[in-house]
Amino acid sequence: MPNRLAHETSPYLLQHADNPVDWWPWCQEALELARRLDRPILLSVGYAACHWCHVMAHESFEDARTAEVMNRLFVNIKVDREERPDIDQIYQSAHHMLTQRSGGWPLTMFLTPDGTPFFGGTYFPKTPRHGLPAFADLLEHVAETLRNRRRDIEEQNAAVRAALARAASPGAGSHHSDFGPAPLADLRDRLSAAYDQRFGGFGEAPKFPHPTDLEFLLHRWHSCGDEHARDIVLHTLACMAEGGLFDQLGGGFYRYSTDDRWQIPHFEKMLYDNGPLLGLCAEAWQVSGQPLYRDITERTAEWLMREMQDRHGGYCSSLDADSEGVEGRFYVWDRDEISAQLTPELFSVVDLHWGLNAAPNFEHRHWHLTVAMPLDEVATQLDITPDEAARRLADARERLFAKRAMRVPPGLDNKILTSWNGLTIAGMMRAARVFDRDDWATSARDAIAFIRNHHWRDERLYATSAGGEGRLNAYLDDHVFMIEGLIEAMQTRFDPEDLVFAEDLADALLDNFEDRAGGGFFFTRHDHEHLIQRPKPMHDNATPAGNGVAARVLARLGHLTGETRYLDAAERCLQAFYGALARNPSGASSLALALAERLAPPAVIVLRGPQHAIAGWQRRLATRHQPDAMVFTLPTGTPDLPPALDKPAVESATAWLCRGHHCLPPVSDIDALEKLLDTRG
């Protein structure tokens, strides 16, 4: 019989609805049951595209004997970390405190009946291996330990709660108003020290994309002329795009690389990676003009629209790593299978380009497609023109993509998450502006409409939906990532409704999330359920830190509307975290970007005049790498403009440029405008 998870909407929870485990979703009824029975809680956190979550489910949660132990000894709670990032953040932090090791998914935590964690880990096998105990044996041992050492565990719990309280507010008690650039230089130096000069990226395997760090470095190059910062970004993006982190046939980036060369990925594709990377690749093209970055931008945008956008407009959350129960099966190839699909002329190109003439790179038997030889070198070896090599590669890619489409595809997690849609809207709108792609802008606008129509009700934002209306209180990230997306949308094609929605979200943020006493923003609303920790995050993880993005987008919204309450809240946020940022800026690139824009406010450029006259100006400015400027194209007759944007109606193209409280006289020559912009880098 299905368990209680059968009534949930999360695809991840539904994956476990037929387990013999007596699963509960996270709810007050389950927590009250644990207290009433004085029984420990087994908390299992994962997500639908997680490979090792599937492994543990198959080995243990689908096993009747293991389930009997779980049901006898624990109240078992299953959480989708994408629906409940509040819970995931708390218990990931607790895992690190208890084990002194980084966490991940599946996260397996054991809680006393009051919800305090006393032991935990990630994946546990069904039988002992890799130095890990059998899961069923561990369950018996944990329950026995709690029975026999309850007083010791309660003392430990008090220490854990105190540590969680300290960790919740890294800037607590430290308010600064004298901001300086030293944290920006320090962060740049730390990223440079971690940079892998050979293969790109930061640190050793496993390697993650780190889009927020790359965005900071690009901003650093623009503001300071730091060529090394620029080169780190361009090299890293090129290595990822030509390596196995990028799907060479279907487009889109996988979650991370298992090796330091970006060759073999963990095969799930996450929306939260691809939205920011899409925007970054567009910026890389602005900076370098290299065709690679345009190609990767186009193929990522096409993948997002083709495979991740549902028919109602929202972007879905992820694609699974597994197909037919095997990680990567959908994506890897046999050499003979490729040869059979292509003519000899086509195969001659991909054989060299993707290194099929070398040893298999996936489990010693298969090929995961990566660029082994640049296409111009392939053309030289085959004595054909570069254009002919490109034509053959495109033809081969199309044929292999069609063949791959006949395989059993990975599962799609069709949850629509407000926060990840905000990230993707921002990336898609930025790319649409750079490459003048109305279809990309339309795709992003459909997502905005979906969030506004289904996740915004009665002045309250909701975090998620899956085939229905939004549910669960939205978090800090949902609000600020959507505001960022709306600001990008207004620069692509101004719509007064976007500005109204952005201000509504900002007002909800200030009313329901701000710590008015300490500055900054809590991750959860003031009326959210009480949990054992209420964090105010400053560090970036797979997505940017909500407080860093809040400080930046509120300031930007304040500059474009003239509303001081947004500027003041951004200032309070930076004041709260500046001390911690100055001590150690590592992992806080989003806050560093906010600080950079506090020290040098972004330009607000308003283009006015007849539509036909200002369209060329907009197009020209869009090809410039100008991360410290916002450009709003407002044809004569645009309604409902705030005072900061409501410039006089003019008969010819004219630009107004302001930085902070300083505005220059209007400019009627595009060359003169660009010279003004160049004076600030």
Side-chain angles (χ1 to χ4, degrees):
M1 293 291 292
N3 56 46
R4 296 174 188 84
L5 301 186
H7 304 293
E8 296 296 306
T9 60
S10 158
Y12 174 65
L13 298 186
L14 291 172
Q15 287 175 359
H16 295 270
D18 293 320
N19 292 169
V21 178
D22 187 19
W23 288 118
W24 290 82
W26 183 276
C27 60
Q28 288 304 311
E29 188 179 358
L31 302 176
E32 290 168 2
L33 177 66
R35 287 191 287 268
R36 187 169 69 250
L37 299 178
D38 195 30
R39 184 179 292 183
I41 296 167
L42 192 162
L43 175 65
S44 177
V45 184
Y47 60 101
C50 169
H51 171 70
W52 286 103
C53 299
H54 300 331
V55 173
M56 190 167 178
H58 177 68
E59 290 180 345
S60 295
F61 303 149
E62 296 171 10
D63 177 65
R65 294 181 64 184
T66 304
E68 185 278 325
V69 180
M70 294 173 66
N71 296 338
R72 173 165 47 87
L73 298 175
F74 298 91
V75 173
N76 302 289
I77 297 179
K78 175 64 75 172
V79 166
D80 181 340
R81 66 105 173 177
E82 297 168 358
E83 280 195 339
R84 296 300 304 262
D86 53 338
I87 294 169
D88 183 55
Q89 281 188 35
I90 292 169
Y91 292 103
Q92 293 284 355
S93 297
H95 172 273
H96 180 70
M97 292 174 183
L98 290 169
T99 67
Q100 297 301 301
R101 294 193 298 271
S102 59
W105 302 278
L107 180 67
T108 308
M109 296 298 291
F110 297 93
L111 323 179
T112 50
D114 65 353
T116 306
F118 64 94
F119 180 73
T122 52
Y123 162 77
F124 289 103
K126 182 179 179 180
T127 57
R129 65 176 184 272
H130 308 309
L132 295 170
F135 188 52
D137 294 342
L138 176 70
L139 296 172
E140 296 278 8
H141 177 70
V142 167
E144 181 181 1
T145 300
L146 181 61
R147 285 195 301 269
N148 297 335
R149 299 182 56 193
R150 186 67 174 263
R151 181 173 296 179
D152 292 340
I153 288 173
E154 288 177 351
E155 290 178 1
Q156 174 186 281
N157 283 359
V160 167
R161 283 180 173 269
L164 286 171
R166 290 192 297 271
S169 299
S174 176
H175 286 259
H176 295 259
S177 56
D178 186 18
F179 302 123
L184 308 180
D186 188 7
L187 176 57
R188 181 270 185 203
D189 291 344
R190 291 171 186 244
L191 289 171
S192 179
Y195 168 57
D196 182 344
Q197 298 185 39
R198 185 176 181 188
F199 300 119
F202 303 101
E204 301 175 347
K207 275 187 175 175
F208 291 82
H210 290 271
T212 310
D213 291 336
L214 298 177
E215 183 182 7
F216 166 78
L217 289 171
L218 267 190
H219 190 283
R220 186 77 179 166
W221 172 69
H222 176 80
S223 61
C224 301
D226 187 338
E227 294 186 0
H228 183 57
R230 174 201 62 195
D231 293 346
I232 289 174
V233 177
L234 295 180
H235 181 221
T236 296
L237 287 175
C239 289
M240 293 194 306
E242 295 184 333
L245 195 75
F246 187 74
D247 182 350
Q248 301 297 326
L249 294 183
F253 290 88
Y254 303 104
R255 181 165 168 252
Y256 67 85
S257 175
T258 62
D259 61 276
D260 62 353
R261 300 168 62 97
W262 304 104
Q263 294 296 297
I264 304 302
H266 203 31
F267 283 92
E268 66 259 46
K269 292 181 181 179
M270 311 301 295
L271 186 65
Y272 64 68
D273 288 322
N274 282 278
L277 287 171
L278 174 70
L280 268 173
C281 287
E283 288 191 63
W285 178 82
Q286 288 177 314
V287 167
S288 69
Q290 294 179 16
L292 170 66
Y293 303 113
R294 181 174 195 141
D295 178 56
I296 298 305
T297 304
E298 289 176 347
R299 291 162 60 193
T300 301
E302 289 166 3
W303 168 76
L304 282 165
M305 293 189 294
R306 182 184 66 243
E307 299 188 31
M308 301 303 288
Q309 192 160 27
D310 83 351
R311 62 189 180 90
H312 300 293
Y315 296 109
C316 299
S317 296
S318 63
L319 282 174
D320 207 327
D322 299 359
S323 178
E324 300 180 272
V326 179
E327 184 180 11
R329 171 172 284 186
F330 181 76
Y331 298 104
V332 300
W333 293 86
D334 293 327
R335 187 172 187 268
D336 291 343
E337 184 183 12
I338 292 177
S339 177
Q341 302 304 312
L342 305 177
T343 65
E345 290 79 12
L346 299 183
F347 184 76
S348 66
V349 170
V350 302
D351 192 37
L352 295 174
H353 185 58
W354 288 329
L356 306 178
N357 55 345
N361 63 3
F362 186 75
E363 296 181 347
H364 309 291
R365 295 182 294 129
H366 305 291
W367 277 264
H368 175 54
L369 303 182
T370 67
V371 175
M373 181 183 290
L375 204 54
D376 56 351
E377 293 183 25
V378 172
T380 300
Q381 287 215 17
L382 297 178
D383 195 24
I384 58 177
T385 66
D387 287 346
E388 174 62 16
R391 186 198 65 78
R392 292 187 190 182
L393 177 62
D395 193 349
R397 184 182 285 131
E398 185 176 341
R399 296 185 188 204
L400 293 174
F401 179 77
K403 175 63 175 177
R404 193 179 77 176
M406 299 171 66
R407 299 174 179 176
V408 177
L412 173 70
D413 184 336
N414 67 346
K415 286 196 313 297
I416 309 297
L417 296 170
T418 302
S419 58
W420 297 4
N421 271 255
L423 291 174
T424 305
I425 290 163
M428 191 73 94
M429 283 294 190
R430 189 178 307 167
R433 200 161 61 246
V434 170
F435 293 113
D436 196 22
R437 291 291 298 263
D438 287 341
D439 54 338
W440 301 353
T442 298
S443 169
R445 186 150 296 288
D446 289 344
I448 292 172
F450 180 89
I451 297 298
R452 187 166 49 223
N453 293 334
H454 297 277
H455 288 202
W456 176 251
R457 294 193 307 274
D458 302 323
E459 304 302 309
R460 181 183 287 256
L461 189 65
Y462 292 88
T464 182
S465 64
E469 293 302 296
R471 57 187 292 269
L472 301 178
N473 286 331
Y475 306 99
L476 169 63
D477 291 359
D478 297 294
H479 289 75
V480 298
F481 294 172
M482 273 303 301
I483 295 172
E484 181 177 31
L486 291 164
I487 291 173
E488 291 291 339
M490 286 186 277
Q491 295 178 75
T492 304
R493 186 172 68 242
F494 188 84
D495 184 336
E497 289 189 6
D498 290 340
L499 181 56
V500 172
F501 192 24
E503 291 189 284
D504 285 344
L505 292 175
D507 292 342
L509 183 67
L510 268 57
D511 291 343
N512 299 301
F513 291 83
E514 188 179 13
D515 180 356
R516 295 303 296 265
F521 298 89
F522 294 106
F523 188 72
T524 54
R525 289 174 56 101
H526 296 325
D527 60 0
H528 196 73
E529 70 174 292
H530 178 73
L531 301 171
I532 65 170
Q533 184 196 46
R534 193 183 181 199
K536 291 199 311 185
M538 69 165 280
H539 289 104
D540 307 319
N541 290 301
T543 56
N547 273 287
V549 178
R552 192 180 187 195
V553 301
L554 285 172
R556 286 193 159 214
L557 193 60
H559 288 307
L560 73 93
T561 62
E563 289 290 351
T564 58
R565 66 183 187 276
Y566 302 145
L567 293 167
D568 292 344
E571 184 83 358
R572 290 191 294 269
C573 186
L574 278 176
Q575 288 173 351
F577 293 105
Y578 181 78
L581 185 69
R583 288 191 297 273
N584 181 9
S586 295
S589 286
S590 59
L591 267 169
L593 283 164
L595 173 62
E597 293 200 351
R598 165 60 175 78
L599 296 173
V604 176
I605 302 168
V606 178
L607 304 181
R608 297 303 306 266
Q611 175 64 51
H612 70 274
I614 58 178
W617 285 42
Q618 180 185 28
R619 180 78 197 99
R620 184 162 159 182
L621 292 176
T623 61
R624 292 174 55 96
H625 183 245
Q626 200 77 39
D628 64 344
M630 296 181 286
V631 181
F632 299 94
T633 305
L634 307 172
T636 302
T638 302
D640 303 325
L641 294 174
L645 299 183
D646 192 12
K647 305 303 181 185
V650 288
E651 295 183 0
S652 60
T654 305
W656 281 261
L657 189 157
C658 298
R659 288 187 185 274
H661 301 293
H662 177 62
C663 294
L664 299 178
V667 179
S668 57
D669 180 82
I670 183 67
D671 293 329
L673 176 62
E674 289 195 312
K675 287 180 180 179
L676 288 173
L677 292 171
D678 287 338
T679 61
R680 292 291 299 264

